[in-house]
Amino acid sequence: MRTYRYFLLLFWVGQPYPTFSTPLSKRTSGFPAKKRTLELSGNSKNELNRSKRSWMWNQFFLLEEYTGSDYQYVGKLHSDQDRGDGSLKYILSGDGAGDLFIINENTGDIQATKRLDREEKPVYILRAQAINRKTGRPVEPESEFIIKIHDINDNEPIFTKEVYTATVPEMSDVGTFVVQVTATDADDPTYGNSAKIVYSILQGQPYFSVESETGIIKTALLNMDRENREQYQVVIQAKDMGGQMGGLSGTTTVNITLTDVNDNPPRFPQSTYQFKTPESSPPGTPIGRIKASDADLGENAEIEYSITEGEGLDMFDVITDQETQEGIITVKKLLDFEKKKVYSLKVEASNPHIEPRFLYLGPFKDSATVKIMVEDVDEPPVFSKLAYILQIREDAQINTTIGSVTAQDPDAARNPVKYSVDRHTDMDRIFNIDSGNGSIFTSKLLDRETLLWHNITVIATEINNPKQSSRVPLYIKVLDVNDNPPEFAEFYETFVCEKAKADQLIQTLRAVDKDDPYSGHQFSFSLAPEAASGSNFTIQDNKDNTAGILTRKNGYNRHEMSTYLLPVVISDNDYPVQSSTGTVTVRVCACDHQGNMQSCHAEALVHPTGLSTGALVAILLCIVTLLVTVVLFAALRRQRKKEPLIISKEDIRDNIVSYNDEGGGEEDTQAFDIGTLRNPEAIEDSKLRRDIVPEALFLPRRTPAACDNTDVRDFINQRLKENDTDPTAPPYDSLATFAYEGTGSVADSLSSLESVTTDGDQDYEYLSDWGPRFKKLADMYGGVDSDKDS
């Protein structure tokens, strides 16, 4: 027969009053239904009807933050199989079992050992079981039950930020959104009002307000002006329990700044400004600064300055300093104290960036009066013109007045002025100036052809204050006068063919003139009067400043007349008329049938680098002569080898022709004339040297005559020196004869053969030491010596 067991679970809730939850039922298989009685806290007993259930349990609440000294009692676990004899053992498992929750294994009492915090863990799920101590087997199936921590208001609201920062434009409408603050509460929002937060403003009224439920902060006061107050500190409180008494609260600080809008126009701190400036201030010179104040910031405080009206509207200007927002008054044109001493201006300051919604506050601009007083300074003299241009004829005489310059002191004192010329611009002192009246006059003669323009500088200086001076350029143009005759444009040298016909053009002439007449040059050409009659040529004036030379007859003969000189008169058509005579050289030449020149009397004119026929013939004769000389020299050499050597010194001939080393001797008059040595003046002027080819470019030089008692040896030495320095001398390998040999000559012998007659004997024994080639020579000279000794 199946037995039925019942498990009794008793829970005690540690509250001042009993709390019950809605019973929950759970079916457990294997246990038949049976009537049992479950005792709960209190003495009430309810009769429960079970249908096939072995467990019955509920969800209970346990207070958090228990502050008692003993363990907090949770409930009791009891099985209907427990006979009270200690045979059963109760076991608790699950969340916090054995640590947070403990059970008396004999009685089944459950207790909480620690203080519980719902914010850490709101629900604990436990499992209960009863086992037989002896067998260790469960007598009841394991079952779960829930312990839910009951919340109490132990957490105050906390804001997400300790300090909030926000901005809002000044002059905003009421209710303008500023910022939203948020606070959180760790308590259970589903149980009671512990987590229900209400916002309120503790500090910041009446400027701002906060919505109690959302925490949105808005403006609460109209026309809040940043210029009056810019920073606001608002304190917001968040309180739970719906704001009721006893609720917990937290606070936060909100720093609110009013941002600037352009709600203030610029304003000048004073209505009139006064400045001073010297009249010498150049354009662009700053005179003074003015500043309009604007309470706004940034671009809302930017100011533009302008001159709207006044006497000096065109004399002064105003610009804005972007860094300081000041207006700078500057000089626009040159000032003159003598013309105007005081100027009055109206200067306006305005905002370039304007917000239309604030136009009702008035125009966003302001104006002020600026008075400028011009101070007098000692100014240098001022010329009546910036530059002077004068003219003068080139034939003007010295001290001729050209013109004058004028300068005066612009100051009220009207100090006297003196004039001078800057000599750095007139180094030659061609011009001068009257220091009193400024008259310019010449101090030297002028020549337009040398210099057309003279650019000088005139200085005007105050007599009382020499430091004050000014300069002016003076340009003087020299006017042309017909003082130069026309001339040929080039040197003309032409030719005419022998077979030329009459009226044939052989040359075109052109002329130039240094003068520059206003109407242009008009030259006329003609033959000189002395050559006009009987001339073989005529001049044809082409009336275009050119002329042609024409033949006057048929045929010319260069052998009769090789060169014609034609004097041509060239005249200009200006006043006074100037003329000059130029000579044209015309050579008569042989030409071919086409009129091309072939040869003239003066070949150098046509062929300046060629050779004449006579020169070519002379060159050929020189070459033939040179060849004959070489042949003769070779023959004489062969003859010398056959002649015996001179044995006796008495065998000396008058004319030793066989050597032919130093000339032909006295009788060779073709090579040398002894009379020339004695009388050098006998040389003919037209006689050319016969030992070199004559050159047309160099004529024979006349040498100074020697005195009758001049030593011939000294004369020859002098001629040798002259020959060395003579550019027309023949080359170094040419023979120049200045002496002769032979008995009875007025000159001493120059031959070295006479050396054998000297008293001093010579020793030729050293020839034997020169080798076999000199053996014959050693025997010959050695034999002579031996004969002499014997």
Side-chain angles (χ1 to χ4, degrees), residues 441-724:
F441 57 89
T442 60
S443 57
K444 290 185 179 181
L445 296 177
L446 304 175
D447 186 7
R448 188 201 68 86
E449 287 71 36
T450 302
L451 186 60
L452 175 61
W453 284 92
H454 295 269
N455 303 329
I456 65 176
T457 299
V458 176
I459 305 173
T461 306
E462 292 185 12
I463 296 178
N464 298 336
N465 187 6
K467 294 182 178 180
Q468 295 295 336
S469 64
S470 57
R471 297 166 175 261
V472 68
L474 177 60
Y475 307 104
I476 302 175
K477 182 179 181 181
V478 181
L479 301 179
D480 184 45
V481 174
N482 191 27
D483 57 349
N484 291 281
E487 300 174 347
F488 279 135
E490 58 182 289
F491 175 74
Y492 289 104
E493 186 173 12
T494 184
F495 71 94
V496 62
C497 296
E498 289 182 309
K499 297 180 181 181
K501 303 296 183 181
D503 296 330
Q504 181 178 339
L505 178 65
I506 63 173
Q507 180 66 45
T508 299
L509 305 178
R510 290 178 174 81
V512 293
D513 194 338
K514 295 180 180 179
D515 295 323
D516 187 16
Y518 178 77
S519 59
H521 293 293
Q522 296 180 7
F523 301 130
S524 60
F525 301 83
S526 63
L527 283 174
E530 64 272 12
S533 60
S535 176
N536 293 313
F537 302 92
T538 60
I539 298 296
Q540 180 181 347
D541 194 341
N542 298 327
K543 305 301 181 182
D544 60 353
N545 295 334
T546 64
I549 300 178
L550 305 178
T551 58
R552 198 170 184 178
K553 65 177 183 176
N554 295 326
Y556 293 85
N557 190 342
R558 59 175 174 164
H559 299 290
E560 295 179 358
M561 191 69 174
S562 62
T563 302
Y564 294 91
L565 300 178
L566 298 180
V568 180
V569 178
I570 312 169
S571 303
D572 55 21
N573 196 26
D574 205 352
Y575 179 82
V577 177
Q578 299 286 344
S579 63
S580 65
T581 301
T583 302
V584 180
T585 302
V586 182
R587 298 185 183 276
V588 181
C589 301
C591 304
D592 57 13
H593 64 281
Q594 294 181 352
N596 298 323
M597 180 181 59
Q598 289 182 335
S599 63
C600 298
H601 178 71
E603 290 81 5
L605 174 66
V606 183
H607 302 291
T609 59
L611 295 176
S612 63
T613 304
L616 294 175
V617 173
I619 292 174
L620 293 176
L621 290 176
C622 290
I623 295 174
V624 172
T625 303
L626 182 61
L627 293 175
V628 172
T629 303
V630 172
V631 172
L632 292 176
F633 183 74
L636 290 175
R637 294 274 303 225
R638 286 195 298 270
Q639 186 177 359
R640 283 175 53 193
K641 294 181 180 180
K642 296 180 182 179
E643 292 181 357
L645 294 174
I646 300 175
I647 299 174
S648 175
K649 65 180 180 179
E650 288 81 5
D651 191 7
I652 299 176
R653 303 177 184 180
D654 293 337
N655 293 315
I656 302 177
V657 184
S658 60
Y659 287 95
N660 200 24
D661 289 337
E662 297 180 352
E666 183 179 357
E667 296 178 357
D668 189 4
T669 59
Q670 185 69 18
F672 184 78
D673 186 4
I674 190 62
T676 303
L677 294 176
R678 298 192 176 190
N679 188 13
E681 295 179 353
I683 185 172
E684 298 179 3
D685 292 342
S686 62
K687 186 176 181 181
L688 301 178
R689 294 175 57 173
R690 292 173 294 174
D691 57 339
I692 61 173
V693 177
E695 296 184 8
L697 297 178
F698 299 95
L699 297 177
R701 292 192 306 148
R702 179 180 295 276
T703 57
C707 299
D708 292 339
N709 57 355
T710 301
D711 190 2
V712 176
R713 186 187 304 272
D714 296 338
F715 177 79
I716 292 175
N717 291 333
Q718 180 180 356
R719 287 295 182 266
L720 286 175
K721 292 180 180 179
E722 292 177 357
N723 189 72
D724 291 339

Side-chain angles (χ1 to χ4, degrees), residues 4-43:
Y4 296 91
R5 301 177 179 84
Y6 300 93
F7 191 52
L8 180 63
L9 210 59
L10 297 177
F11 293 94
W12 293 88
V13 180
Q15 287 186 344
Y17 55 86
T19 302
F20 301 93
S21 64
T22 304
L24 300 177
S25 62
K26 180 179 180 181
R27 182 180 299 275
T28 303
S29 60
F31 297 91
K34 188 176 182 180
K35 285 187 179 181
R36 283 289 182 263
T37 300
L38 178 63
E39 292 185 3
L40 300 176
S41 61
N43 296 324

Side-chain angles (χ1 to χ4, degrees), residues 165-241:
T165 301
T167 59
V168 64
E170 63 173 332
M171 309 298 289
S172 297
D173 297 333
V174 175
T176 301
F177 175 84
V178 180
V179 69
Q180 183 178 12
V181 296
T182 304
T184 58
D185 196 324
D187 292 328
D188 188 1
T190 62
Y191 179 76
N193 294 327
S194 299
K196 187 177 181 181
I197 299 174
V198 174
Y199 298 95
S200 62
I201 184 168
L202 300 181
Q203 178 183 324
Q205 294 176 330
Y207 308 104
F208 301 96
S209 63
V210 62
E211 292 183 356
S212 60
E213 295 182 358
T214 60
I216 295 176
I217 300 176
K218 298 180 180 180
T219 57
L221 188 64
L222 186 64
N223 296 333
M224 286 191 294
D225 193 356
R226 183 199 65 83
E227 287 72 33
N228 294 331
R229 183 177 178 182
E230 184 177 5
Q231 300 288 339
Y232 293 87
Q233 190 176 71
V234 179
V235 178
I236 302 298
Q237 181 189 65
K239 189 174 183 180
D240 58 11
M241 297 297 292

